[in-house]
Amino acid sequence: ELKVEQNPLFLSMQEGKNYTIYCNYSTTSDRLYWYRQDPGKSLESLFVLLSNGAVKQEGRLMASLDTKARLSTLHITAAVHDLSATYFCAVGPKETSGSRLTFGEGTQLTVNP
Amino acid sequence: DGGITQSPKYLFRKEGQNVTLSCEQNLNHDAMYWYRQDPGQGLRLIYYSQIVNDFQKGDIAEGYSVSREKKESFPLTVTSAQKNPTAFYLCASSRSGTYYGYTFGSGTRLTVV
């Protein structure tokens, strides 16, 4: 059974600071996704990581994937209030051709002025 | 524009009632999914379907039923057997067998009264 763990689950940070969210998963995978969810809203796709060493950047967010360590990171640079949201990683198992994803519990990020 | 539409946005259910949540997509995606989200928690898979007239149970299928008679539609019925149905329900779709991740609907918030 594929398990996905994120940490921290809650993150409160000041504007301008840097921080990293970690996503560990338990079985071999070749695809990892990051999503953002604003309160009461649906999920919005941020990044798709499909190979070992993949790195994607969008604005103040950068995601990377290490398939050997079964680890993805979401790095936040110089945080701003607009980044306050819950961030989810999701993983698909490598051994199936289906597209079912397993989600982590989410990291609730609050950026304070 | 293509997208995925869930309705209604809010739904109230009385004890012992069955209710059906609608999910329609015009993205020509083969696969569709239903997830449940409880407050402060991650997403748990209820059912998914990779082709018309076929679907599989996810991790928490008890008390729920689905159908997939058309490629565009994947309705979810919450039956009276589901003892704690109050939650946020998210429908998603994806291209089957590829690695593009999910497109999510806007969600239905179900409350038992």
Side-chain angles (χ1 to χ4, degrees):
Chain A
E1 181 189 349
L2 174 58
K3 293 190 184 299
V4 182
E5 293 184 351
Q6 289 182 235
N7 71 84
L9 298 183
F10 299 93
L11 176 56
S12 180
M13 55 191 298
Q14 284 186 309
E15 281 191 329
K17 299 293 187 183
N18 303 336
Y19 210 85
T20 300
I21 299 170
Y22 297 89
C23 174
N24 291 88
Y25 52 96
S26 61
T27 64
T28 305
S29 172
D30 58 354
R31 47 200 175 104
L32 188 136
Y33 309 84
W34 284 96
Y35 292 88
R36 168 181 171 144
Q37 185 180 39
D38 291 301
K41 305 292 186 183
S42 187
L43 275 73
E44 170 193 353
S45 179
L46 292 175
F47 299 109
V48 178
L49 302 168
L50 301 177
S51 61
N52 186 41
V55 177
K56 297 277 184 76
Q57 183 162 5
E58 180 73 34
R60 301 174 187 274
L61 300 177
M62 183 174 71
S64 66
L65 178 62
D66 181 343
T67 57
K68 293 179 182 177
R70 299 178 185 170
L71 171 69
S72 178
T73 61
L74 181 66
H75 187 72
I76 303 155
T77 301
V80 294
H81 180 70
D82 285 351
L83 290 179
S84 297
T86 299
Y87 293 85
F88 291 93
C89 64
V91 180
K94 188 174 184 178
E95 63 271 18
T96 70
S97 61
S99 43
R100 170 182 173 162
L101 299 181
T102 298
F103 285 77
E105 292 181 17
T107 296
Q108 187 175 316
L109 171 65
T110 303
V111 180
N112 302 304
Chain B
D1 286 340
I4 182 166
T5 302
Q6 288 186 242
S7 63
K9 189 169 183 177
Y10 299 96
L11 185 57
F12 298 90
R13 190 194 95 165
K14 293 182 180 179
E15 296 282 352
Q17 258 187 347
N18 292 354
V19 292
T20 297
L21 284 59
S22 170
C23 179
E24 303 273 338
Q25 54 98 359
N26 61 1
L27 298 165
N28 200 32
H29 285 172
D30 293 306
M32 297 186 75
Y33 313 82
W34 276 105
Y35 282 85
R36 169 178 173 147
Q37 187 179 30
D38 292 283
Q41 298 190 27
L43 280 67
R44 291 184 290 168
L45 182 64
I46 304 172
Y47 270 99
Y48 63 108
S49 166
Q50 299 195 61
I51 55 171
V52 174
N53 293 322
D54 188 43
F55 48 83
Q56 288 78 41
K57 293 182 179 180
D59 300 319
I60 56 165
E62 186 174 348
Y64 300 97
S65 66
V66 293
S67 63
R68 186 87 186 276
E69 298 176 0
K70 298 187 300 181
K71 186 175 184 178
E72 301 78 19
S73 179
F74 191 41
L76 173 74
T77 297
V78 184
T79 74
S80 56
Q82 172 49 241
K83 296 306 177 188
N84 185 21
T86 295
F88 188 47
Y89 291 86
L90 285 160
C91 179
S93 68
S94 72
R95 300 180 195 177
S96 184
T98 61
Y99 295 83
Y100 292 94
Y102 293 172
T103 299
F104 280 90
S106 56
T108 294
R109 192 166 300 279
L110 174 62
T111 304
V112 173
V113 296

